Amino acid sequence: MSETSAASNCIFCSIVDGRAPAHTVYEDERILVFMDLFPAHEGHALIIPKRHGENLFDVDPDDLEAVMRASVRLGEAQKHVFSPDGIAVMQLNGAAAGQTVFHYHMHLIPRLKGEPFGVHGKKQGDSRVLAAQAARLAAAFTLRA
Ligand code: AMP
Ligand code: ZN
């Protein structure tokens, strides 16, 4: 296990360590950006700090800052690639708030006018579609660095 991840049974730490797959958009020494496996809408992506922390109240402030900076860049990339009407930027703390993966993460969900709102998709995304979306977002993300 790397120094930056802590929980061996945490799926997001497994992704950070390369023990589980993900459709990566961007990474640096602090954060990782990848496609949500059950997208609530086309282009739904997650930003995580590489260092394990359960929720907002458990994460290094410098990591939080890196996540927030990346949220702006990812949102710009989503606007460029998907032309949504809006983008939901949100995160959940604790099971009672709806959190299901207990490694802090920020959701960025492109939204269209009039659609019913949801954070969790019902269907697993098609792997080829997610890979193509990650590649398009990665290109747009880099453009706005
Ligand atoms: P939350 O309810 O805020 O904890 O959201 C967890 C999110 O992680 C959900 O939107 C899931 O679809 C997503 N998710 C769970 N496992 C994976 C995975 N292996 N790769 C990508 N996204 C995942
Ligand atoms: Zn973790």
Side-chain angles (χ1 to χ4, degrees):
M1 190 186 301
S2 78
E3 285 178 17
T4 49
S5 61
S8 58
N9 60 351
C10 169
I11 181 62
F12 287 176
C13 282
S14 296
I15 290 173
V16 169
D17 284 350
R19 289 178 284 122
H23 299 289
T24 300
V25 173
Y26 172 81
E27 74 175 305
D28 60 29
E29 65 281 358
R30 279 191 186 275
I31 61 155
L32 182 66
V33 183
F34 55 97
M35 305 311 294
D36 194 297
L37 198 55
F38 289 80
H41 188 272
E42 180 185 45
H44 182 173
L46 303 173
I47 307 172
I48 65 170
K50 288 186 169 177
R51 203 190 327 244
H52 183 88
E54 196 169 306
N55 58 42
L56 178 67
F57 311 104
D58 189 30
V59 173
D60 179 302
D62 290 337
D63 285 348
L64 288 178
E65 183 186 333
V67 168
M68 196 48 75
R69 287 181 182 278
S71 299
V72 178
R73 290 175 63 191
L74 177 60
E76 293 288 358
Q78 288 174 324
K79 283 198 264 180
H80 182 77
V81 172
F82 299 108
S83 304
D85 296 319
I87 297 173
V89 180
M90 56 193 301
Q91 57 90 208
L92 311 172
N93 301 285
Q99 187 175 6
T100 58
V101 175
F102 297 92
H103 178 132
Y104 171 84
H105 51 279
M106 188 71 87
H107 294 261
L108 267 87
I109 311 174
R111 309 285 317 166
L112 293 178
K113 273 182 205 152
E115 276 187 336
F117 186 76
V119 186
H120 299 122
K122 292 185 176 62
K123 229 176 72 184
Q124 185 167 332
D126 180 274
S127 185
R128 277 171 304 180
V129 171
L130 293 179
Q133 291 174 349
R136 291 174 73 198
L137 284 174
F141 198 93
T142 303
L143 275 178
R144 282 160 180 72

